[in-house]
Amino acid sequence: MIITREVEDMTCVAKGAGVAKHENAAIPEEGLWVHAKEIKDISGFTHGIGWCAPQQGACKLSLNVKGGIIQEALVETIGCSGMTHSAAMASEILPGKTVLEALNTDLVCDAINTAMRELFLQIVYGRSQSAFSEDGLSIGAGLEDLGKGLRSQVGTMYGTLQKGVRYLEMAEGYVTRMALDENNEVIGYEFVSLGKMTDFIKKGMEPNEAYKKAQGHYGRFTEEQGAVRFIDPRKE
């Protein structure tokens, strides 16, 4: 390395015997306290949320890291059709890379790159979901995050001052009808679980029967419970 003349001419001052050897702070990782000094010292299951430059789309990235190597990747996106294709690439690219490599890998989409950055900050500071779980979470924990239907939990709501609120998609599924009381206030909703319906059809069930079997409702949805009117949130 090159040292400037000004530094070279300086008097050498010795480091203190105790303070200068102070170790970096330990972080919680998979039930242990670890003094992380190298990439291989990083382990954990955690998440990062990212957004693209025009802020038209967002990504939730979940990684399961063992010994600095990404073993499992879950990429969930919303708001941008192109981002889904980038997510397909990212889910293939990320496993097998170190967290440092992944931080400097072009994942095509701004939102996914930003999610990787935010996830990196979480995991290297010990803010992981598995920080206090002995041996961490098993490979496959990402799928467990999705639930039985292996579908992302999505909420889509729309409202205007003139016409009020419309529930379009809840965690349970695609909203087909909203129940209103005598004051035209929302008191419940009906939904169809698209994942369940698709599984029924794959097993040979007729589509109409599968549709009915995958239906459910939440809140006060019957006339006995105070529902006066039912509306299709996409048409009425």
Side-chain angles (χ1 to χ4, degrees):
M1 68 182 72
I2 299 173
I3 302 175
T4 64
R5 183 61 182 269
E6 288 79 6
V7 173
E8 194 173 312
D9 290 343
M10 288 179 180
T11 299
C12 186
V13 178
K15 290 182 179 180
V19 177
K21 294 181 180 179
H22 182 69
E23 199 164 24
N24 61 318
I27 61 173
E29 291 185 28
E30 301 191 338
L32 300 172
W33 288 95
V34 178
H35 292 278
K37 299 176 182 178
E38 300 179 39
I39 291 297
K40 65 180 178 61
D41 297 329
I42 300 297
S43 293
F45 182 91
T46 193
H47 317 273
I49 302 296
W51 53 94
C52 59
Q55 299 188 31
Q56 292 177 332
C59 168
K60 177 189 174 186
L61 177 62
S62 305
L63 298 183
N64 201 346
V65 180
K66 304 286 186 184
I69 305 293
I70 297 168
Q71 303 292 332
E72 175 185 19
L74 171 64
V75 191
E76 301 174 84
T77 65
I78 190 169
C80 173
S81 58
M83 195 190 299
T84 63
H85 296 273
S86 297
M89 296 175 66
S91 62
E92 186 173 359
I93 290 169
L94 287 171
K97 290 192 177 296
T98 68
V99 287
L100 186 58
E101 283 179 305
L103 190 64
N104 289 287
T105 297
D106 183 7
L107 300 175
V108 184
C109 169
D110 267 356
I112 303 176
N113 283 318
T114 304
M116 183 63 231
R117 180 193 71 196
E118 297 300 309
L119 186 152
F120 183 86
L121 292 174
Q122 288 288 99
I123 201 167
V124 297
Y125 281 110
R127 273 66 171 177
S128 70
Q129 184 176 318
S130 58
F132 300 102
S133 302
E134 188 175 355
D135 295 327
L137 300 183
S138 59
I139 309 305
L143 291 181
E144 292 177 7
D145 258 24
L146 293 177
K148 292 181 180 178
L150 297 185
R151 285 174 58 85
S152 298
Q153 295 189 52
V154 178
T156 307
M157 314 299 160
Y158 178 73
T160 61
L161 180 61
Q162 292 80 7
K163 299 295 181 178
V165 69
R166 297 296 185 276
Y167 298 170
L168 302 175
E169 185 103 17
M170 287 285 194
E172 300 96 333
Y174 179 96
V175 177
T176 51
R177 289 190 298 167
M178 293 167 56
L180 308 181
D181 65 9
E182 59 185 6
N183 298 317
N184 275 345
E185 295 177 359
V186 184
I187 59 172
Y189 57 88
E190 178 186 66
F191 61 88
V192 58
S193 172
L194 299 179
K196 288 182 180 179
M197 185 180 75
T198 303
D199 286 341
F200 292 147
I201 294 172
K202 284 194 295 185
K203 291 177 181 177
M205 189 179 290
E206 288 297 316
N208 285 339
E209 184 184 354
Y211 178 81
K212 291 177 182 178
K213 190 171 181 179
Q215 277 186 322
H217 56 79
Y218 184 84
R220 294 186 287 133
F221 194 75
T222 65
E223 293 181 1
E224 292 78 10
Q225 294 173 323
V228 174
R229 184 181 176 193
F230 301 93
I231 64 169
D232 180 337
R234 290 170 173 79
K235 294 183 178 180
E236 297 177 74

